Amino acid sequence: MKANHENRLFIIWAAALTATAGSLFFSEFMGYEPCELCWYQRILMYPLVIIYGVGLVKKNAAMTLPGLILSGIGTIVSLYHYLLQKVPAIGAGDACGLVPCNVQYINVFGFITIPFLAGTAFIIIFITHLSMVRK
């Protein structure tokens, strides 16, 4: 495997690990209860740490294809979740579960929320993986 691919796999793995650690920090240390869409994003993000970690250790980018699919789906879920928070016309309110999906535990600079952070990680992973496939 080329060093360039190895560097990109490391970037992807680091993004997935950071997102996973961040979600655990918010729920376990800050006490923020995840909503239903947050759980879906976790289900899509957590395996990426293992998928890309194994690909990095084995130096085999070809085995990480499931990560591209999971990150693409995760991007869509995060975007929808972010729109629920920021566009009142879309808002689901309490229909999402015990914790409403439009709750904003954090709101830095008026636009950085937890789904925004998750979506950023998914996009970094997806685009970096696509750049590996193109090479």
Side-chain angles (χ1 to χ4, degrees), residues 45 71-72 74-76 78-79 116-130:
M45 182 63 72
S71 64
T75 299
I76 294 166
S78 293
L79 177 63
F116 179 89
L117 295 171
T120 301
F122 280 124
I123 289 168
I124 289 169
I125 292 165
F126 188 77
I127 290 175
T128 306
H129 192 133
L130 276 181

Side-chain angles (χ1 to χ4, degrees), residues 15 21 40-41 47-48 60 66-67 74 80 82-83 98 102 107 134:
Y40 294 147
Q41 290 167 85
L48 297 179
N60 184 353
Y80 175 67
Y82 186 70
L83 289 173
L98 295 176
N102 60 2
N107 192 356
R134 289 189 64 222

Side-chain angles (χ1 to χ4, degrees), residues 33-45 74 76-85 90 92 95-102 114-115 118 122:
E33 188 174 338
C35 71
E36 188 174 334
L37 288 175
C38 288
W39 279 113
Y40 294 147
Q41 290 167 85
R42 287 174 174 212
I43 290 167
L44 294 165
M45 182 63 72
I76 294 166
V77 173
S78 293
L79 177 63
Y80 175 67
H81 192 184
Y82 186 70
L83 289 173
L84 282 177
Q85 289 184 329
I90 296 175
C96 192
L98 295 176
V99 176
C101 290
N102 60 2
I114 293 173
F122 280 124

Side-chain angles (χ1 to χ4, degrees), residues 48-119:
L48 297 179
V49 176
I50 296 168
I51 291 169
Y52 289 108
V54 170
L56 188 58
V57 168
K58 293 192 176 232
K59 298 184 185 314
N60 184 353
M63 67 185 301
T64 62
L65 181 61
L68 182 64
I69 296 164
L70 291 174
S71 64
I73 296 168
T75 299
I76 294 166
V77 173
S78 293
L79 177 63
Y80 175 67
H81 192 184
Y82 186 70
L83 289 173
L84 282 177
Q85 289 184 329
K86 295 298 182 182
V87 180
I90 296 175
D94 294 325
C96 192
L98 295 176
V99 176
C101 290
N102 60 2
V103 167
Q104 297 179 39
Y105 287 120
I106 65 167
N107 192 356
V108 180
F109 303 124
F111 70 95
I112 299 175
T113 63
I114 293 173
F116 179 89
L117 295 171

Side-chain angles (χ1 to χ4, degrees), residues 2 4-9 11-12 52 61 68 71 123-135:
K2 296 178 185 178
N4 195 11
H5 284 319
E6 194 170 341
N7 291 339
R8 289 178 185 181
L9 272 179
I11 290 168
I12 292 170
Y52 289 108
L68 182 64
S71 64
I123 289 168
I124 289 169
I125 292 165
F126 188 77
I127 290 175
T128 306
H129 192 133
L130 276 181
S131 71
M132 269 192 328
V133 172
R134 289 189 64 222
K135 302 261 178 201

